[in-house]
Amino acid sequence: MPTVQAYAAPDATSPLGPLALERRDPGPHDVAIDIAFCGICHSDLHQVRNEWGGSRYPMVPGHEIVGTVRAVGAHVTRFKPGDRVGVGCMVDSCRTCPSCAKGLEQFCQQGAAFTYNSTEMDRVTPTYGGYSSRIVVTESFVLRIPDRLDLAGAAPLLCAGITTYSPLRHWKVRAGDKVGVVGLGGLGHMAVKLAAALGAEVTLLSSSASKEADARRLGASAFGHTRDEATFKRFGGRFSLILDTVSAPHDYNKYLGMLQVDGAMVLLGVPPEPTPVAAFPLIGGRRSLGGSLIGGIAETQEMLDFCGQHGIVSDIEVLPVQQVNEAYERMLKSDVRYRFVLDMGTL
Ligand code: NAP
Ligand code: ZN
Ligand code: ZN
């Protein structure tokens, strides 16, 4: 079992630091990957700090992984050494339940094997994520990165990209549809780019007035400052779909009033505390409040290919892995334009 270098959280309150980690030798269906870059998702911070409960330590976060294939097992057919590949939030699932059969591995009824803070499907072997120099993943959960895309910029597509693409597709966004995106962080800026690429008319709803110019550059045609109550009147009844990417508790009821009749607001952000929802804004307009979790493996490849066709990558700031603790603090202050990506060459 090769020893690889990683960065890990020892517990919920200490900073992340170096850790040597054993990865399995590639089995017949495995792909061994040299990790080049790994994005920092706000879910990394929630889990490192045990904000959702049940965190396992030491934790090596990271589920926006890109790199090149180092070696493949004897039965691997789709990849060869040197290929540019990615790994997202899952490394395996049962592959037989109704969800898996439909390509919705994220809803595997036995519980998918998530990339970190989880176990392999044996339910014993802990999984460790992408803040590390190498990873070994079964072929079916390895994605192909289109040649045209910058590798570091493509890393955030593996979580922020698929998490925003999947609901845009599921709620069937078409050219001309009016889509609202709440929060301009890692997820939010991908939501703006992807919705605009699908032809939607995008409005960015942000608590930071300073982000208006960026929102427009990324593809939004309108902007609303959510600390200004007038925004909620101005956009009342406007959107067929709202994607809410905010990581902290906020009042959903106000946003529901901005939906059209039959419109849907979809929660993507996962604030640690619950927020009460009133019936009135839902029944007055037959509106729905829903949620969405990442996306399945086939849909993740579809999203990557879509990004390849449209030349879409994330706007990133590349950092050495030693700056991860600082990056977490900046992310908490919404001081990220718009995704931090760790350069694993610095490990
Ligand atoms: P991020 O880059 O930190 O962006 C979050 C944005 O939320 C901030 O940029 C900010 O945007 C807004 N925000 C933060 N605090 C706020 C507050 N107190 N009030 C109002 N707005 C606030 O985080 P991310 O990586 O995009 O992740 C966002 C959330 O999605 C996290 O909770 C994460 O765990 C979750 N997530 C879910 C999935 C899924 O499958 N559903 C996948 C990945 C991540 P403005 O400055 O524009 O207001
Ligand atoms: Zn994520
Ligand atoms: Zn399953």
Side-chain angles (χ1 to χ4, degrees), residues 93-101 104-105 107-112 121:
S93 71
C94 87
R95 306 176 193 215
T96 55
C97 76
S99 293
C100 286
L104 298 170
E105 296 88 354
F107 307 128
C108 174
Q109 289 169 16
Q110 292 189 29
M121 292 310 286

Side-chain angles (χ1 to χ4, degrees), residues 29 40 58 87 111 137 142 201 211 243 274 283 293 302 325 341:
H29 298 281
I40 297 180
V87 177
V137 178
V142 178
E201 221 179 276
K211 291 182 182 174
L243 296 184
I283 65 169
L293 176 70
E302 178 189 308
N325 297 298
V341 169

Side-chain angles (χ1 to χ4, degrees), residues 224-276:
H225 185 209
T226 54
R227 300 209 192 277
D228 177 2
E229 288 303 317
T231 295
F232 295 90
K233 272 222 171 94
R234 188 165 131 229
F235 294 112
R238 179 176 172 92
F239 305 113
S240 57
L241 179 69
I242 294 177
L243 296 184
D244 184 339
T245 74
V246 175
S247 51
H250 55 292
D251 181 7
Y252 301 136
N253 301 288
K254 295 202 292 191
Y255 292 86
L256 290 170
M258 292 193 282
L259 290 173
Q260 299 170 4
V261 171
D262 286 330
M265 168 150 146
V266 178
L267 304 183
L268 303 177
V270 193
E273 297 86 27
T275 300

Side-chain angles (χ1 to χ4, degrees), residues 4-311:
V4 309
Q5 298 310 310
Y7 240 64
D11 53 55
T13 52
S14 308
L16 283 80
L19 178 80
L21 191 71
E22 297 210 318
R23 298 278 196 198
R24 67 177 184 264
D25 289 313
H29 298 281
D30 282 339
V31 178
I33 300 164
D34 284 325
I35 301 176
F37 300 99
C38 184
I40 297 180
C41 177
H42 206 114
S43 303
D44 299 349
L45 190 156
H46 287 307
Q47 291 176 90
V48 159
R49 300 193 178 173
N50 198 21
E51 291 176 355
W52 297 337
S55 285
R56 303 157 187 257
Y57 303 95
M59 186 190 301
V60 177
H63 56 208
E64 294 185 337
I65 301 168
V66 291
T68 51
V69 174
R70 176 188 184 87
V72 296
H75 297 316
V76 169
T77 55
R78 292 167 42 240
F79 299 101
K80 60 177 191 317
D83 285 355
R84 287 158 33 109
V85 293
V87 177
C89 300
M90 298 179 284
V91 289
D92 208 349
S93 71
C94 87
R95 306 176 193 215
T96 55
C97 76
S99 293
C100 286
K102 280 190 253 173
L104 298 170
E105 296 88 354
Q106 72 273 35
F107 307 128
C108 174
Q109 289 169 16
Q110 292 189 29
F114 290 94
T115 304
Y116 68 87
N117 193 25
S118 176
T119 63
E120 297 285 353
M121 292 310 286
D122 64 9
R123 298 299 177 216
V124 177
T125 313
T127 54
Y128 297 109
Y131 299 4
S132 61
S133 54
R134 283 196 233 161
I135 194 167
V136 179
V137 178
T138 186
E139 174 179 33
S140 315
F141 283 71
V142 178
L143 288 311
R144 192 172 290 285
I145 308 293
D147 287 338
R148 175 178 176 200
L149 300 181
D150 171 63
L151 198 57
L157 301 179
L158 277 306
C159 177
I162 183 60
T163 300
T164 49
Y165 180 83
S166 184
L168 289 169
R169 300 291 290 178
H170 181 76
W171 274 270
K172 299 190 169 53
V173 167
R174 296 201 175 81
D177 286 356
K178 294 183 172 62
V179 172
V181 173
V182 190
L184 193 62
L187 264 58
H189 93 292
M190 290 313 308
V192 172
K193 287 188 186 209
L194 292 167
L198 289 167
E201 221 179 276
V202 184
T203 300
L204 195 280
L205 300 158
S206 173
S207 63
S208 314
S210 60
K211 291 182 182 174
E212 175 164 3
D214 279 353
R216 291 183 188 276
R217 174 179 59 78
L218 293 164
S221 56
F223 181 89
H225 185 209
T226 54
R227 300 209 192 277
D228 177 2
E229 288 303 317
T231 295
F232 295 90
K233 272 222 171 94
R234 188 165 131 229
F235 294 112
R238 179 176 172 92
F239 305 113
S240 57
L241 179 69
I242 294 177
L243 296 184
D244 184 339
T245 74
V246 175
S247 51
H250 55 292
D251 181 7
Y252 301 136
N253 301 288
K254 295 202 292 191
Y255 292 86
L256 290 170
M258 292 193 282
L259 290 173
Q260 299 170 4
V261 171
D262 286 330
M265 168 150 146
V266 178
L267 304 183
L268 303 177
V270 193
E273 297 86 27
T275 300
V277 176
F280 270 116
L282 290 169
I283 65 169
R286 200 164 55 189
R287 296 160 172 147
S288 350
L289 178 62
S292 188
L293 176 70
I294 48 175
I297 293 298
E299 193 173 48
T300 304
Q301 189 62 60
E302 178 189 308
M303 174 276 309
L304 286 166
D305 295 341
F306 177 87
C307 289
Q309 282 153 22
H310 292 262

